[in-house]
Amino acid sequence: MAEADRQTVEETSTQQAAETTDGFHLVIDALKLNDISTIFGLVGIPITDLARLAQAEGMRFIGFRHEQHAGNAAAISGFMTQKPGICLTVSAPGFLNGLTALANATTNCFPMILISGSSEREIVDLQQGDYEEMDQLNAAKPYAKAAYRVLHAEDIGIGVARAIRAAVSGRPGGVYLDLPAKLLAQTLDAVKAQQSLVKVVDAAPRQLPAPESVKRAIDVLKSAKRPLILLGKGAAYAQADAEIRAFVEQSGIPYLPMSMAKGLLPDTHEQSASAARSFVLQEADVVVLIGARLNWLLSHGKGKTWGAEPKKFVQVDISPTEIDSNVAIAAPVIGDIGSCVAALRAGLDAGFAKPSAEWTGAIAERKSKNLAKMAATLDKNPSPMNFHSALRAIRDVLKTRPDINVVNEGANTLDYARSIIDMYEPRKRFDSGTWGIMGIGMGFAIGAAVTSGKPVVAIEGDSAFGFSGMELETICRYDLPVCTIVFNNNGVYRGTDVNPTGGKDVAPTVFVKGARYDKMIEAFGGVGYNATTPEELTKALLEAIASGKPTLINAVIDEAAGTESGRLTNLNPQSAAMKK
Ligand code: ADP
């Protein structure tokens, strides 16, 4: 072939290559166009190349050891940023592992998108037995806010846009996006492909409350003698921090943060009624719920927790169907929290009087009594450590680093840490959430570290840690500044149960005694500490945080410390024989 001819052939083939693209590239282009820069996932058929390409195209791909944790990382990233976190999995089992996290995200109102590769539709629908065959779309539907499948590469742009909008608009939640293997390999004209992409405009539009709903709420507030504000994680998610603080301070109303709303105002704020929680829930006559649902975490708004007198509720929420879900709501205010709280604040006019000194004084009195009681408990120095003495040590270190993200799960470890560890900044506490689940630990820790670039301290019960412990390798692989503290009391709840038959098997709640979780992280190049006293724990934690390296502290807790099911003993039916 003449030189000139060869050049022409080469030019034409480069041109052709430049003129076509495929499903793999389009998925990445669509995500990038919408400012999504990180994917949490686990590779395998058919999405390995999608992950490789994402990395090659400048996205961050964080690879996990189990999809559930990748999904949890994506979900917490969504909560922190208001952008959907992306989790990428293989088909069938990988998808199902990710689905647990998707369901949890939907339940908690966290925006995330689970993208799973899937087998060929023709074979799945005829149930002909494909590799990892599963009707994933229908499996996802009941557990997702929305679920979509894309069959043609030219629809990828629209598919991703719909997924983003569904995840973040209105009440946020989990969205499933099904991408069959064949779709990813489809080629199409590059120009047409670019034109098919959609940049989502105003994905979560403000939703202004109706003026009459605001007036009704203000009227109810004006009628209150003992008002209370209850801040939920929806309020934290909304990123209306200044507006919420101004409303609380201007109204002078005492407030209670739900666990993931801690830090929205610093826990040390004088209007915080956390240390008098039972008292204010029982005694308040008007309760303003801001981004908090009256679910089991709030005893459904009724019963002993809420005292003898019926309450009047004002509820600020983006979801109209949340209203009256458990008890009657006197004044619903529907809209986004920023707009609603701004409108309520504007309504605090001359006719509004701050709560009486009688009410705030009674709360202050109860608070100081309870705080003194707690201080006495925290000051004890039993050997071995108990939950309180270990948490005192952690609390004192974290007080000096309000920027640190805190992940927390377990039964007793969760219950005690929630009330003992103060938070000072918004969206820094990530925990078991609406389901009260175990297993979010390392996924949330990795998601929080990657998303914020700040250190994470994960306070973990030994049982809770077990669900995601293998992700220590992920933490080490990406050299993340995560310090995991395992509260090791040798078992689920505690380690003292015995097998009543005297048989060889230990009791169902018991683990290996004296396990050294700190050795696990050493296997991957991280640093492990074994702490048997509060002093050792303080020293280890300070060192761990200062190092900015992956670390794990095995905190040895008295195996007799810990209550069955933590504070949820009432939810745990026990057989008559076991009660004896
Ligand atoms: P917690 O568990 O802290 O009590 P929940 O998860 O029960 O909080 O409640 C969060 C609520 O916040 C949900 O009802 C959700 O619809 C609402 N929500 C989430 N984001 C917003 C927002 N931006 N504006 C208004 N409401 C929101």
Side-chain angles (χ1 to χ4, degrees):
M1 200 189 295
E3 185 57 24
D5 286 349
R6 202 172 59 225
Q7 267 180 9
T8 321
V9 170
E10 275 175 6
E11 272 166 23
T12 318
S13 65
T14 342
Q15 250 172 13
Q16 268 171 357
E19 279 169 7
T20 60
T21 186
D22 59 25
F24 286 104
H25 284 87
L26 264 181
V27 173
I28 307 300
D29 291 347
L31 293 172
K32 281 176 67 179
L33 181 66
N34 285 290
D35 303 319
I36 292 171
S37 55
T38 305
I39 296 177
F40 303 93
L42 206 166
V43 297
I45 295 170
I47 50 89
T48 310
D49 274 348
L50 192 58
R52 284 201 184 103
L53 236 157
Q55 192 174 54
E57 298 281 332
M59 292 185 81
R60 192 143 194 226
F61 183 84
I62 306 291
F64 284 69
R65 305 301 296 262
H66 188 288
E67 294 85 350
Q68 187 178 322
H69 313 307
N72 284 328
I76 211 61
S77 177
F79 172 73
M80 295 167 82
T81 60
Q82 297 184 329
K83 267 196 240 165
I86 307 292
C87 174
L88 181 65
T89 81
V90 302
S91 28
F95 154 79
L96 283 175
N97 289 343
L99 189 57
T100 305
L102 188 77
N104 189 51
T106 305
T107 305
N108 280 280
C109 315
F110 299 157
M112 78 170 270
I113 302 173
L114 174 67
I115 302 179
S116 296
S118 58
S119 314
E120 298 322 327
R121 289 260 35 88
E122 296 82 347
I123 303 178
V124 173
D125 289 349
L126 276 171
Q127 297 180 21
Q128 292 174 310
D130 205 359
Y131 167 76
E132 292 188 351
E133 176 181 298
M134 174 176 262
D135 183 0
Q136 296 170 195
L137 185 70
N138 281 312
K141 275 182 184 163
Y143 307 107
K145 187 178 167 196
Y148 306 109
R149 177 189 294 132
V150 184
L151 288 177
H152 304 291
E154 60 265 33
D155 291 334
I156 287 175
I158 284 292
V160 169
R162 275 179 86 59
I164 292 173
R165 202 175 275 286
V168 298
S169 62
R171 171 182 278 178
V175 176
Y176 175 59
L177 191 59
D178 192 86
L179 303 183
K182 237 195 233 169
L183 168 88
L184 296 169
Q186 272 176 30
T187 52
L188 75 168
D189 176 85
V191 176
K192 273 203 193 132
Q194 281 309 309
Q195 288 167 348
S196 72
L197 296 178
V198 178
K199 179 151 174 78
V200 177
V201 176
D202 198 9
R206 285 198 309 145
Q207 294 188 30
L208 305 184
E212 60 275 19
S213 74
V214 176
K215 182 172 180 312
R216 190 184 300 118
I218 294 289
D219 287 345
V220 170
L221 258 186
K222 282 180 180 167
S223 74
K225 291 200 166 52
R226 295 177 306 281
L228 174 70
I229 293 170
L230 231 156
L231 301 172
K233 59 178 159 338
Y237 174 79
Q239 297 193 17
D241 311 337
E243 198 57 65
I244 289 170
R245 185 174 184 143
F247 175 64
V248 170
E249 290 181 344
Q250 208 171 308
S251 69
I253 300 174
Y255 74 94
L256 271 184
M258 298 299 286
S259 68
M260 281 180 61
K262 276 165 70 76
L264 198 41
L265 285 88
D267 278 337
T268 45
H269 195 284
E270 64 162 352
Q271 282 172 255
S272 167
S274 288
R277 183 185 166 89
S278 316
F279 175 75
V280 290
L281 286 179
Q282 284 180 358
E283 297 298 320
D285 61 350
V286 169
V287 179
V288 184
L289 299 159
I290 304 181
R293 287 171 285 185
L294 284 173
N295 54 21
W296 70 281
L297 288 161
L298 286 168
S299 308
H300 304 282
K302 52 197 172 198
K304 272 196 300 207
T305 309
W306 291 91
E309 297 290 316
K311 316 270 166 214
K312 274 193 179 162
F313 288 101
V314 174
Q315 185 161 23
V316 177
D317 206 289
I318 203 148
S319 171
T321 52
E322 186 55 42
I323 307 305
D324 302 332
S325 57
N326 284 273
V327 292
I329 301 296
V333 183
I334 302 304
D336 70 275
I337 282 169
S339 303
C340 292
V341 173
L344 287 174
R345 190 156 80 88
L348 297 176
D349 52 24
F352 176 82
K354 284 194 173 188
S356 69
E358 198 186 334
W359 175 227
T360 54
I363 297 171
E365 197 181 311
R366 190 59 72 116
K367 260 171 77 172
S368 59
K369 217 164 79 191
N370 289 348
L371 285 171
K373 222 160 85 188
M374 180 58 111
T377 313
L378 286 171
D379 277 349
K380 287 186 189 139
N381 248 338
S383 178
M385 288 191 285
N386 63 8
F387 287 92
H388 288 91
S389 61
L391 284 166
R392 180 193 70 217
I394 298 170
R395 177 200 65 181
D396 290 347
V397 172
L398 292 183
K399 208 189 290 182
T400 65
R401 285 294 302 267
D403 61 318
I404 283 182
N405 298 290
V406 175
V407 171
N408 187 201
E409 62 174 337
N412 294 281
T413 309
L414 175 75
D415 289 337
Y416 292 125
R418 187 174 48 226
S419 50
I420 294 170
I421 306 289
D422 283 335
M423 302 304 297
Y424 304 90
E425 292 181 7
R427 295 170 296 283
K428 294 282 182 189
R429 187 188 150 85
F430 315 112
D431 66 26
S432 305
T434 303
W435 264 347
I437 50 153
M438 307 287 142
I440 47 86
M442 297 302 99
F444 277 11
I446 294 166
V450 167
T451 305
S452 69
K454 298 265 182 197
V456 177
V457 171
I459 307 171
E460 299 274 309
D462 50 354
S463 162
F465 172 70
F467 289 83
S468 63
M470 190 62 203
E471 301 298 343
L472 285 182
E473 191 275 331
T474 310
I475 291 172
C476 291
R477 188 167 10 109
Y478 292 98
D479 195 23
L480 297 172
V482 175
C483 174
T484 304
I485 307 173
V486 178
F487 274 53
N488 185 358
N489 67 348
N490 294 344
V492 185
Y493 313 129
R494 56 177 178 260
T496 47
D497 277 10
V498 287
N499 178 344
T501 69
K504 189 168 170 289
D505 291 343
V506 297
T509 55
V510 167
F511 293 151
V512 166
K513 300 228 183 246
R516 291 289 300 272
Y517 292 99
D518 49 315
K519 300 279 179 203
M520 282 177 69
I521 198 162
E522 289 173 3
F524 308 113
V527 178
Y529 300 89
N530 190 47
T532 58
T533 64
E535 293 71 32
E536 284 174 5
L537 183 49
T538 304
K539 186 168 174 289
L541 183 55
L542 283 170
E543 230 176 85
I545 293 171
S547 76
K549 292 280 174 201
T551 49
L552 188 145
I553 305 172
N554 182 54
V556 181
I557 305 290
D558 183 354
E559 68 171 1
T563 344
E564 178 97 4
S565 308
R567 284 194 197 146
L568 302 183
T569 310
N570 59 321
L571 298 181
N572 197 5
Q574 287 188 309
S575 78
M578 291 296 171
K579 274 185 193 156
K580 282 184 195 154

